[in-house]
Amino acid sequence: MSTKTQSSDRLIIAGKEYSSRLLVGTGKYKDMDETVRAIVASGAEIFTVAVRRTNIGQHSDEPNILDVLPPERYTILPNTAGCYDAETAVRTCRLARELLDGRNLVKLEVLGDEKTLFPDVMATLKAAEELVKDGFDVMVYTNDDPIIARELEAIGCIAVMPLAAPIGSGLGIRNPLNILTIVENAKVPVLVDAGVGTASDAAKAMELGCDGVLMNTAIAAARDPVLMASAMRKAIEAGREAFRAGRMPAKRFASASSPIEGLFF
């Protein structure tokens, strides 16, 4: 059963329940202290680390982010940011599994262009298939194509993560109808990944029925990242409640809050 209809209304990823539907990245902050304070303010229980850019144990002489964001408290989601071919992405996931004591949860992204950071769909499909066969629980970054989302789910990816707009652009959800189509057809969690700029974007994603949102730049590049993290937390919660409540139908003309029928004069 999809997480969208469960009475507990918890996000379930790889069999584990989460209270928060906000996932956050750890890049672009001014220092480690700001990173930690923003993640705490966000209420996120899952955070991503770019294995090729962040030390999670591969460099013993450098600060390790896991020392301040311990695996006992958070779920670490290693990602393949910066990979431009399937082979490098697969190798990066295997390195992450080794560094994280055999944990299989990964976020796969295989980029196709340095300017737009759009995904290389063919390479993503290839890497996803190999990783699933190798026992990984793959959450996959992709474009907003419902057909590709369906193929990635069929391969065995445990979550599909379509972009709302280019990574780091802050443009918001550019194609809500495609996102809605993906949500309506998916039997695995759908999380918007990339393009969110502010709290209203996050709320919109949740109102469309997405199971969660992953963001980094929208928080880290804000004037006050910790305050923005708090705003995103509230937006995710409000958007989810609005989706569950079911919005009123949109109407072309006015509909009085106090009907004129039945007046005494």
Side-chain angles (χ1 to χ4, degrees):
M1 180 183 293
S2 169
T3 58
K4 293 184 278 295
T5 59
Q6 291 188 8
S7 58
S8 67
D9 198 46
R10 296 290 187 103
L11 174 64
I12 299 178
I13 299 290
K16 184 175 180 179
E17 289 192 4
Y18 298 92
S19 299
S20 174
R21 293 175 177 271
L22 175 59
L23 291 70
V24 294
T26 51
K28 303 183 179 180
Y29 292 95
K30 68 179 182 182
D31 55 34
M32 197 79 80
D33 177 67
E34 184 178 76
T35 304
V36 173
R37 289 189 296 115
I39 290 177
V40 170
S42 76
E45 298 165 284
I46 303 174
F47 69 84
T48 66
V49 289
V51 179
R52 303 186 74 199
R53 300 169 181 159
T54 306
N55 183 30
I56 57 173
Q58 62 269 51
H59 303 295
S60 59
D61 57 339
E62 297 179 7
N64 186 337
I65 196 168
L66 302 187
D67 290 337
V68 292
L69 295 170
E72 298 78 25
R73 179 175 177 183
Y74 297 95
T75 292
I76 296 95
L77 180 60
N79 70 46
T80 59
C83 294
Y84 286 85
D85 59 77
E87 293 74 18
T88 303
V90 169
R91 186 167 61 249
T92 300
C93 288
R94 288 173 176 156
L95 172 62
R97 181 163 63 181
E98 181 179 336
L99 291 169
L100 295 173
D101 300 321
R103 300 186 190 195
N104 288 316
L105 184 64
V106 294
K107 179 197 164 190
L108 171 65
E109 56 182 85
V110 186
L111 304 177
D113 177 72
E114 291 187 8
K115 184 176 182 180
T116 65
L117 299 181
F118 283 147
D120 181 330
V121 172
M122 298 306 293
T124 299
L125 289 166
K126 179 181 177 182
E129 188 168 12
E130 185 169 350
L131 288 169
V132 168
K133 288 180 179 178
D134 197 17
F136 283 92
D137 295 319
V138 180
M139 303 175 67
V140 58
Y141 165 69
T142 183
N143 58 16
D144 59 7
D145 182 342
I147 307 304
I148 296 301
R150 185 181 66 192
E151 289 299 313
L152 288 164
E153 181 177 339
I155 285 172
C157 294
I158 65 164
V160 176
M161 307 177 73
L163 55 80
I167 292 173
S169 67
L171 291 172
I173 300 176
R174 308 311 298 170
N175 200 339
L177 293 180
N178 273 25
I179 300 292
L180 180 60
T181 301
I182 292 172
V183 169
E184 289 176 337
N185 289 288
K187 294 181 176 62
V188 297
V190 175
L191 298 91
V192 158
D193 179 13
V196 169
T198 191
S200 57
D201 299 329
K204 180 63 176 178
M206 300 308 295
E207 289 170 6
L208 288 170
C210 291
D211 294 277
V213 179
L214 190 154
M215 65 182 74
N216 186 178
T217 308
I219 295 175
R223 185 173 64 249
D224 185 336
V226 177
L227 187 59
M228 182 60 81
S230 176
M232 292 298 187
R233 178 180 189 168
K234 298 180 180 77
I236 293 287
E237 293 171 354
R240 181 64 182 180
E241 288 188 3
F243 169 72
R244 295 183 68 202
R247 65 156 290 155
M248 63 167 284
K251 301 177 181 179
R252 182 178 177 189
F253 298 108
S255 177
S257 298
S258 300
I260 62 174
E261 294 84 358
L263 293 180
F264 292 111
F265 55 88

